[in-house]
Amino acid sequence: MPSPELDAILSAFGGSHLIADLIEQAPAGILVMEPGGAILYANAQFCAMIRCPCEILGSLRLAELAADSAMAESVGRSLDEVWASGEACTLRARLCSADGIEISVSMQLGLLAGAAARCVVAFVQDVTQQERQDYLLHAMTTHDDLTGLPNRTQLTLLLERQLGVSDQGALLLIDLRRFRQVNETLGHDFGDLLLVAVSARLRDLLPADAVLVRFSGDVLVALVADLDSTGVRALAESLMLAMKEPIRINDWEYLVGLSIGIALIPADGADVIQLVRKADLALGWAKSSAGSGYVLFDPEIAARVQRRQKLHGLLRKAIGRAEFRLHYQPRVAIASGAVTGFAALLRWYTPAEGEIGPAEFIPVAEESGLILEIGDWVLGEAIAQQGRWKRQGLDPGVMAVNLSPRQLRVADLSKRIGRLLRRHGVLPGELELEITETALMEDVPTAVRLLTDLSRLGVKLGVDDFGTGYSSLAYLSAFPLHRLKIDRSFVQALGTERHQETITQAIILLAHALHLSVVAEGVETEQQLDFLRTTRCEVVRGGGFWRALAAADGERRVLVAPAGP
């Protein structure tokens, strides 16, 4: 029923009880106020909205319901303006209900003037739920729902804001290395958790005023202000260093490598399209040439990337055109000088360019996934050649073949190798597979399972380029290994750099303590050989003994002739 206060107000304006009933039962909140916002009347809907009895509201001013002092001042100004001008206005306000809950309202304020009185009337709608829905919709369209980071649609706006504050900075395009492998082997749920953890770590490492954006699946963008090339290099180095600490998810530890492409502002552009394009070119080069690393864009980058793209196209045709060859470099026992086996080395000869070195095309093959097909061909051809030599009554010893990181993820690899060995009449112990430290550490449980299967098959296993990666005692004891191969970067320094000699000696001692034999690659000089002999390295290979030979030359010069260069 209408209240006495409303009856009095309506009487002053010549109203009726019918109008009073309509106002009291209106679905919107209605307030009638004196100058300054003192509440004369509040209908039932407003009382319910604010969760306060009408008799209490009658002793309050509207500003006293405001959520904070700033909002109270805003409400007061709006009321004063309506009272002074007589013009209606709409106001968004935050009010505090009697139980302390903040609500958002939309108020239409107007002046009601009659013959006997004047007052301000407010029609009030609770828009709290609508604002929440609007916020969620805005968040869904502007932010990534997994990480909570802004998404790529916000990049232009964020860049404009940054340029409004500083005209110098950088855009970093950050790629999580081998993230697809994580999803494939550990599942998308784990991949999601890993991405969230990496994003959080990067957010903590970036300057406070930097912006981190999720650009695509496993690519993030960082916008950083007030950095020159020296500063951005230092930042990139700090990000790379921080990611060497494993990320722990539940009981699982995972090492995440980063590749970063960097475009400088304004040197490389001042709009998103230019900066992302150049940072992407730099990122492509970082991924193909350096694995986990960072590259700043420079004019030569585009040419390098075009070269890589050309190689990508040529590689797709190379197998079908039979452009690959295997050469075989003898391995020599230091103690006896006898050839104990061969290392299968891939060579690529193109009709247009002649020989293209593996250092140039292997990273492209790895990045594109073509390494799986190429690796299968290498493995099959090396075992087939081993079988051909054996059928001729020759003794080629052990054939060493490199496995790529992607091949380690092939679930039935050990079965495939077993079939190849049986098909060509090669014993498992006559094959040695070499895997890099980095490849082993990408997914330790999977690598342990695969290497255990291969070891049970009887295949020998070796760590390639030991000393350049993790060099961890823990993983050496976890994997069923037979041999360590010392990287040529250490061998080349023997006789000239005492520090490298100390490291090489330590590697050999470590291997022997773990009952592993040692092979050194890249041996070219007598000085290097003498050091390796003194430190009890068992096997060497390099140009100082034998260069890599075509199969026919290996057969003629090594297997049917006395050992020697």
Side-chain angles (χ1 to χ4, degrees), residues 216-240:
S216 62
D218 60 348
V219 178
L220 306 172
V221 168
L223 285 172
V224 188
D226 297 320
L227 283 185
D228 57 12
S229 60
T230 301
V232 78
R233 287 179 189 275
L235 175 62
E237 290 281 4
S238 68
L239 297 181
M240 306 297 296

Side-chain angles (χ1 to χ4, degrees), residues 150-172 209-213 221-226 263-277:
N151 60 30
R152 64 188 301 168
T153 64
Q154 299 301 290
L155 201 50
T156 297
L157 176 62
L158 294 170
L159 178 61
E160 289 173 353
R161 288 178 182 172
Q162 177 175 303
L163 291 175
V165 176
S166 172
D167 59 359
Q168 185 181 41
L171 184 147
L172 288 72
D209 59 350
V211 177
L212 189 63
V213 173
V221 168
L223 285 172
V224 188
D226 297 320
L264 296 176
I265 305 170
D268 297 324
D271 65 79
V272 166
I273 293 176
Q274 277 186 313
L275 292 169
V276 169
R277 180 176 62 83

Side-chain angles (χ1 to χ4, degrees), residues 30-34 37-42 46 54 56-63 65:
I30 297 177
L31 291 175
V32 180
M33 295 167 285
E34 291 182 333
I39 298 174
L40 297 173
Y41 165 76
F46 186 83
C54 294
I56 295 178
L57 284 175
S59 64
L60 300 176
R61 295 167 58 249
L62 178 59
L65 300 177

